Amino acid sequence: LMDQSGNPTTANVLSGSFSASSGWTSATLSYSLVLETGQLPVAGTYIDSINVTLYSGTIGNAVQQDAGSVGFRITVNPVLDLSLVSAGGSFSSTSTSMTLDFGSLVSGESQRSDLLVQSNANYAVSLQSTNGGVLKIQDPTDTSTVPYTLDFAGTLETLPAGTPVTVVSAGVPTPASGDRYPIIVTIGQVGMSTAGTYNDSISITVI
């Protein structure tokens, strides 16, 4: 919508007409506020006001009769989502887990995935390892383990078993595409570890 000073066309104004009448009459004109999609505004309350001017006549030949203003208030609630994707992948709200399958373990082999965080408020990220930062054989009668290192966004992290480790303590509101944190897991010395299937599980929490 435009004011007369903006040289509007009929598409830029709310218009109507009255039939001849000997008394007061009224007309209702509707409008709506539409927010563009694809935004991730910072959580909080947003306000604006719009000046509304009533004219008689036609576009380009109008006389002001009255004026007022309309206030708008919108509350944006905090939003916090994570996504685990392949290296360089795009955010997907349905991708919240990732399996790094090394096949036959080879010392020094690495695999990478990316953690993407979307947030319109401050946030923190923590990691928690089930096995304390080692791969354990799935055979419950065997205690064999294979060490590995975990590089989170360029920092090697030590993960005690069952204890959350904060890896991002002061995250700030992100762009709509999210903040990206590469996670690189590298297999340590395999040596003469018992043949079998080894694993570990890492829980990622974003608050």
Side-chain angles (χ1 to χ4, degrees), residues 84 111-115 150-153 181-185 204:
L84 286 165
Q111 288 196 29
R112 170 184 162 180
S113 65
D114 286 351
L115 168 67
L150 187 145
D151 180 311
F152 184 90
Y181 298 98
I183 300 173
I184 301 174
V185 175
I204 301 176

Side-chain angles (χ1 to χ4, degrees), residues 20-142:
S21 173
S22 59
W24 286 99
T25 186
S26 64
T28 300
L29 302 175
S30 299
Y31 60 91
S32 59
L33 180 67
V34 179
L35 302 181
E36 295 183 4
T37 60
Q39 301 183 85
L40 190 63
V42 174
T45 300
Y46 294 76
I47 60 174
D48 195 9
S49 63
I50 296 176
N51 294 325
V52 179
T53 306
L54 175 65
Y55 295 91
S56 61
T58 59
I59 294 176
N61 186 27
V63 178
Q64 180 176 333
Q65 301 294 337
D66 203 355
S69 64
V70 178
F72 296 93
R73 180 186 298 270
I74 298 174
T75 298
V76 177
N77 294 322
V79 175
L80 184 58
D81 289 310
L82 67 81
S83 180
L84 286 165
V85 298
S86 300
S90 300
F91 189 96
S92 172
S93 59
T94 61
S95 181
T96 57
S97 64
M98 172 73 66
T99 298
L100 300 180
D101 188 347
F102 285 85
S104 296
L105 291 177
V106 176
S107 299
E109 184 179 1
S110 296
Q111 288 196 29
R112 170 184 162 180
S113 65
D114 286 351
L115 168 67
L116 296 177
V117 177
Q118 278 186 345
S119 177
N120 63 354
N122 294 341
Y123 68 91
V125 181
S126 65
L127 307 180
Q128 181 172 318
S129 166
T130 299
N131 297 332
V134 297
L135 302 175
K136 285 187 176 181
I137 194 168
Q138 289 185 345
D139 182 352
T141 66
D142 195 322

